[in-house]
Amino acid sequence: MNESSIISAYALAKERYAALGIDTDKVIETLEQIPISLHCWQTDDVVGFERSEALSGGIQATGNYPGRARNIDEVRQDIAFVQTLLAGNHRLNLHETYGDFGGKFVDRDQVEPAHFESWMQWAEQQKLKLDFNSTSFSHPKSGNLTLANPDPAIRAFWIEHTKRCRRIADVMGQRQGDPCIMNIWVHDGSKDMPVRRKYYREILADSLDQILAEPLPHMKSCVEAKLFGIGLESYTVGSHDFYAGYCATRKVIYTLDTGHYEQTENVSDMVASLLLFVPELMLHVSRPVRWDSDHVTIMNDQTLDLFKEIVRADALHRAHVGLDYFDASINRIGAYIIGTRATQKCLLQALLEPVGLLRDYEDKNMGFERLALMEEAKSLPFGAVFDYFNLKNHVPVGEDYIRLIQQYEHDVTSKR
Ligand code: RNT
Ligand code: ZN
């Protein structure tokens, strides 16, 4: 792409935004400082290195596009390449099943920080900070109930696993000098209508209380709500209401996955309610198509509204941004870049919104003016700002990354 035309387009855009009181240079600096937690599981369809078996736990990666990362080196190779196509410093979100187990079988109640030693070293070299996830799916003891299981042995197994994961996250956080955000998502639920709904929720709350009791200063825990899983359609123990109540009473971070609500629900509206009662939010930015399908994130209204709401609520510092989708039907690296860049585009548009003026109109009950400015803001030249943001950070501008990903496919992933 022609550098001088990007620069002159930016100069015009800068002027246009300045007329509305927005300093685009400052906005670019802010965007550069917002890390996006890259989900390692996009590289390999959530398989991991424990048993390399198919997914269970009500989630599904569909498609069989060639080039899936098959081992730890390939996952790292792909993520390192992804980094070259993204502006800003990002984070890497690991699941427990992606440990460096050295070819041995390490069960989930045996996992230790040592299994993530090579990840910590690699991440430091790559300037990536780590986030972490306990993993209760794709295991013979997963069944339909893990932390909410009335069977004391199974429940104890998963409590032990999750406690160990928190300790691993704490070591990661200490090493990187920045808290590691550890997400707890359990698929626990039921295909058909249970009669003891409250009972399982009591067990889950008690398991979480036991898990979170250990003070670990270098990590933060978050818990993820969900509507339903495949094969678990009638009941989810960790529903939105359950976790909204849990997080509010225990002061725990709520993980908001944009695929985990009713399809017509306005997920962005939850932000301003949850933020009143929970300390922070962890976002799993995704794209549900008819269900929690985990399609690649794009710049659609849902994602735009989510980030606009966070910026309008002055809550950027209370939101951790992560991605969560797994599309196995297209080039996986391409899926990574489309989704991460779309997230950055949405963040950018939210940051470029003339929110001061809009608030002013609202306070003065000027409904027409507010709506008019919101509409006009949509077609301001944010694309010129996004192009310049990428140029400034020495990464491909616009569709230039397509060619580079094709080249990587030709040289690397097509040979797998
Ligand atoms: C599942 C949850 C969960 C997973 C990852 C792999 O519905 O969204 O976050 O996608 O942990
Ligand atoms: Zn999620």
Side-chain angles (χ1 to χ4, degrees), residues 49-50 72 76 98-106 114-116 118-119:
F49 317 128
E50 185 192 81
I72 209 161
R76 286 179 189 164
Y98 289 73
D100 190 348
F101 302 122
K104 289 192 212 89
F105 173 68
V106 177
H115 300 120
F116 290 86
S118 73
W119 273 117

Side-chain angles (χ1 to χ4, degrees), residues 1-3 5-7 84-86 341 345 383-404:
M1 234 164 253
N2 183 314
E3 227 182 277
S5 52
I6 294 166
I7 293 171
T84 67
L85 304 178
L86 297 173
R341 284 187 172 226
K345 283 182 191 166
V385 182
F386 192 65
D387 285 350
Y388 181 73
F389 163 73
N390 286 311
L391 181 77
K392 183 181 168 228
N393 285 281
H394 313 290
V395 298
V397 175
E399 68 279 12
D400 280 0
Y401 68 79
I402 297 177
R403 179 174 52 79
L404 298 170

Side-chain angles (χ1 to χ4, degrees), residues 41 46 59 95 133 137 183 185 224 226 257 260 284 292 294 324 326:
W41 52 95
V46 215
I59 52 177
H95 252 285
N133 298 259
F137 52 85
N183 186 48
W185 168 66
E224 182 173 1
K226 187 164 175 169
D257 183 312
H260 288 191
H284 275 189
D292 181 28
D294 286 297
D324 186 13
F326 22 97

Side-chain angles (χ1 to χ4, degrees), residues 132 164-176 178 180 182 215-220:
F132 199 51
R164 282 172 177 257
C165 285
R166 285 187 77 237
R167 290 181 205 131
I168 294 168
D170 194 60
V171 174
M172 288 174 173
Q174 183 160 32
R175 288 273 285 272
Q176 65 200 16
D178 189 57
C180 169
M182 191 189 110
L216 295 166
H218 307 291
M219 59 86 65
K220 293 181 180 184

